[in-house]
């Protein structure tokens, strides 16, 4: 026979630490809100701030795209490539980067919200997403703005806050019992 634990009266956080799911919520009832530790709550707001700064960095780059185009036109020695071709390519690339920054910001917010609820896998995704974003930025971005670097710094700080020893109990390992 299985060893049944008495889980009555435990909060959802306490149940989660035991590797159990939260109590089911009946229709019409409100789900109890998790009370995240302060570093996790601060991390959420840093993910949001970093995303906004990232988007602003690419908006700023779009606003100054003529300087970026001029840099590429001056650096081109191939007579088959016209300045108009460069302008079209740079414009398309900047729109792509701006759209990508919006998508990454939305993903950061989704997983930061889930991490704020104590989901361990969301913390793992938030570890991988900035790495992918930085690799894409350094691969495709024509120019790095100071705002992009500030956003990356905010993401690093937010990620470190999710791995502090004081919050490790908030992201419990789920035991595998067969």
């Amino acid at each position: 026979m299985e060893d049944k634990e008495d889980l009555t009266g435990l909060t959802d956080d306490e149940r989660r630490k035991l590797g159990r799911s939260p109590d089911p919520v009946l229709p019409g009832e409100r789900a109890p809100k998790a009370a995240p530790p302060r570093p996790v709550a601060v991390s959420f707001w840093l993910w949001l701030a970093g995303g906004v700064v990232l988007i602003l960095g690419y908006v700023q780059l779009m606003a100054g795209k003529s300087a970026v185009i001029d840099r590429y036109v001056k650096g081109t020695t191939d007579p088959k490539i016209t300045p108009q071709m460069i302008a079209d390519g740079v414009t398309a690339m900047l729109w792509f980067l701006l759209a990508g920054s919006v998508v990454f910001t939305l993903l950061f917010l989704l997983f930061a919200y889930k991490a704020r609820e104590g989901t361990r896998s969301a913390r793992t995704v938030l570890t991988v997403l900035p790495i992918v974003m930085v690799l894409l930025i350094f691969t495709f971005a024509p120019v790095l703005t100071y705002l992009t670097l500030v956003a990356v710094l905010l993401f690093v700080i937010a990620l470190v806050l999710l791995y502090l020893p004081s919050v490790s109990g908030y992201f419990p390992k789920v035991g595998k019992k067969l």
Side-chain angles (χ1 to χ4, degrees):
M1 279 219 164
E2 288 185 36
D3 182 25
K4 299 280 184 182
E5 297 179 49
D6 183 24
L7 301 176
T8 56
L10 296 179
T11 66
D12 286 346
D13 289 339
E14 292 168 337
R15 289 175 61 92
R16 198 170 39 248
K17 285 179 184 176
L18 294 173
R20 297 302 186 89
S21 62
D23 278 334
V25 179
L26 298 175
E29 289 183 356
R30 301 188 106 207
K33 296 288 181 186
R38 184 156 177 80
V40 175
V42 170
S43 175
F44 172 79
W45 292 108
L46 286 174
W47 287 108
L48 174 64
V52 169
V53 170
L54 182 68
I55 292 171
L56 289 176
Y58 286 109
V59 167
Q60 178 191 29
L61 199 55
M62 281 292 286
K65 76 177 178 180
S66 60
V68 177
I69 292 169
D70 290 343
R71 181 190 300 177
Y72 277 99
V73 168
K74 289 177 185 174
T76 303
T77 57
D78 190 351
K80 294 179 184 176
I81 300 176
T82 65
Q84 184 59 43
M85 291 169 68
I86 293 172
D88 292 343
V90 168
T91 301
M93 182 175 50
L94 290 177
W95 278 110
F96 170 75
L97 290 170
L98 180 61
S101 69
V102 171
V103 168
F104 270 101
T105 297
L106 292 174
L107 287 172
F108 289 148
L109 289 180
L110 170 68
F111 289 106
Y113 179 79
K114 295 304 285 179
R116 190 172 68 172
E117 291 181 341
T119 306
R120 186 180 180 93
S121 60
R123 183 177 72 163
T124 304
V125 171
L126 285 173
T127 304
V128 174
L129 269 180
I131 295 169
V132 171
M133 182 199 69
V134 167
L135 288 174
L136 288 173
I137 286 174
F138 285 114
T139 303
F140 294 111
V143 178
L144 286 177
T145 66
Y146 68 93
L147 288 176
T148 305
L149 297 175
V150 168
V152 170
L153 178 64
L154 289 173
F155 295 146
V156 167
I157 293 169
L159 187 60
V160 167
L161 288 175
L162 291 178
Y163 282 95
L164 290 176
S166 64
V167 300
S168 63
Y170 191 66
F171 299 104
K173 272 189 175 177
V174 177
K176 295 183 180 178
K177 294 180 183 177
L178 295 178

